[in-house]
Amino acid sequence: MLDPRLLRAFVTIADTGSFTTAADRLHMTQSTISQQVARLEEAIGRPLIDRAARPVQLTATGERLLGHARRILALQSEAVTLLADTAGTASVRIGMPDDIATTEMTRMFAAFSKRHREVRLDVTTGLSIDLTKRYRGGEFDIVVVKEGAPSSDHLAAYPEPIAWYAAEDIDWSDPVPLVTFPPGGLYRDAMFERIERERKRWYVAFTSSSLGSVLSAVEAGLGLSLLPSGTTRGRQVRQFTEFGTHPAMVVSLYSWEAGGIVGELAAEMQLALKARFGAT
């Protein structure tokens, strides 16, 4: 291993052509810098500097080492600078359904990150049932989930209107095809319960864990689905009223901490959710 301190002494002598000038530049005595070069030469096993020349000259081995020495010192300086910067060193773990990770929410994240460069936001999207389990297991600091009713420790909760949707100008035959989330998805269970009450024959025609894929499948005419009304804007779908209205779900926000960085971010997420869904 080549000691960077010894390499720095060697490079400075090469740049200045003088032991005395190099010692002054590095704020050390000429004796000290001579000893450092001697130690480097001992480690390499060959002389690096022709001390008899004026100004001093590098030997052939010294010339070969010089470029590598400069790169080693540059990498060391870069590493020291990088490690001195605290940007991205504190992680805040967030879980949410993918339709909650809207442009507005991510813009809020961006503004928060600009104010707190030390924070890295680790966002995981998924089904609410899985997110809830992982939050309770300590895997997330903050979580937004959709549920029938919020737990007592929720930070905020907002109603989310949902309804049945179908592709435009398509009449459904018997049995009714359904577009759903995977088993355990909140809307999936509600869909099955409702269509059973209607005494309709049905089958699952398409399943996806992505809300975007579910919406596209409905839009393409693959089947009916129970969806958050706010997510259908701009989609070529119509509300399917044969099954009547459906009670709203609840979008709930949870946070393990009320103060500090986590608490501050949770409060800003609460404002973003309030702007979208309104307060209850």
Side-chain angles (χ1 to χ4, degrees):
M1 299 295 293
L2 302 179
D3 189 330
R5 294 172 299 176
L6 308 184
L7 291 175
R8 183 168 289 105
F10 166 69
V11 169
T12 305
I13 292 170
D15 289 342
T16 61
S18 166
F19 279 82
T20 302
T21 305
D24 290 341
R25 182 173 295 182
L26 295 178
H27 306 290
M28 61 179 63
T29 65
Q30 184 172 339
S31 174
T32 299
I33 200 170
S34 296
Q35 291 174 6
Q36 290 188 344
V37 172
R39 287 172 55 194
L40 183 61
E41 290 175 325
E42 182 180 355
I44 293 174
R46 294 181 183 178
L48 301 173
I49 295 176
D50 182 358
R51 292 165 174 77
R54 291 293 180 273
V56 295
Q57 299 291 325
L58 301 183
T59 64
T61 302
E63 290 176 344
R64 294 177 61 186
L65 175 63
L66 183 59
H68 295 288
R70 293 191 195 280
R71 290 200 293 274
I72 292 171
L73 293 174
L75 285 172
Q76 184 197 38
S77 178
E78 181 181 338
V80 170
T81 301
L82 177 65
L83 295 175
D85 189 348
T86 61
T89 56
S91 171
V92 178
R93 303 162 301 165
I94 305 163
M96 62 176 61
D98 60 355
D99 62 304
I100 298 298
T102 60
T103 300
E104 291 74 17
M105 183 67 76
T106 52
R107 283 175 178 167
M108 183 278 294
F109 286 154
F112 185 87
S113 294
K114 287 180 181 179
R115 296 197 310 273
H116 298 284
R117 292 183 63 253
E118 74 280 12
V119 174
R120 183 182 76 248
L121 301 180
D122 294 329
V123 179
T124 300
T125 60
L127 298 177
S128 291
I129 188 171
D130 297 327
L131 297 175
T132 298
K133 289 179 181 178
R134 295 178 66 179
Y135 173 74
R136 296 301 179 190
E139 293 186 41
F140 297 123
D141 302 298
I142 303 171
V143 73
V144 179
V145 296
K146 299 183 180 186
E147 51 193 352
S151 298
S152 59
D153 60 339
H154 71 281
L155 181 62
Y158 307 96
E160 181 182 46
I162 61 174
W164 289 89
Y165 287 91
E168 297 175 346
D169 302 325
I170 292 183
D171 294 324
W172 299 110
S173 59
D174 183 27
V176 178
L178 299 179
V179 175
T180 75
F181 290 95
L186 194 62
Y187 304 124
R188 179 187 177 105
D189 294 340
M191 287 170 63
F192 293 172
E193 179 184 355
R194 185 72 179 95
I195 204 166
E196 287 287 350
R197 290 208 314 266
E198 292 292 326
R199 298 182 180 277
K200 297 285 188 180
R201 295 198 311 146
W202 56 273
Y203 68 98
V204 174
F206 182 90
T207 298
S208 175
S209 60
S210 164
L211 176 62
S213 296
V214 168
L215 284 164
S216 295
V218 173
E219 196 172 28
L222 278 168
L224 298 174
S225 192
L226 188 62
L227 296 166
S229 298
T231 64
T232 62
R233 297 189 185 96
R235 294 280 186 169
Q236 295 181 4
V237 296
R238 61 183 173 86
Q239 191 167 333
F240 186 80
T241 58
E242 183 177 333
F243 298 157
T245 60
H246 197 284
M249 293 291 181
V250 176
V251 177
S252 303
L253 172 67
Y254 297 86
S255 173
W256 286 116
E257 298 179 28
I261 290 293
V262 172
E264 181 182 343
L265 179 58
E268 296 201 15
M269 291 177 64
Q270 181 178 350
L271 292 176
L273 293 172
K274 182 177 180 181
R276 177 176 174 183
F277 297 106
T280 57

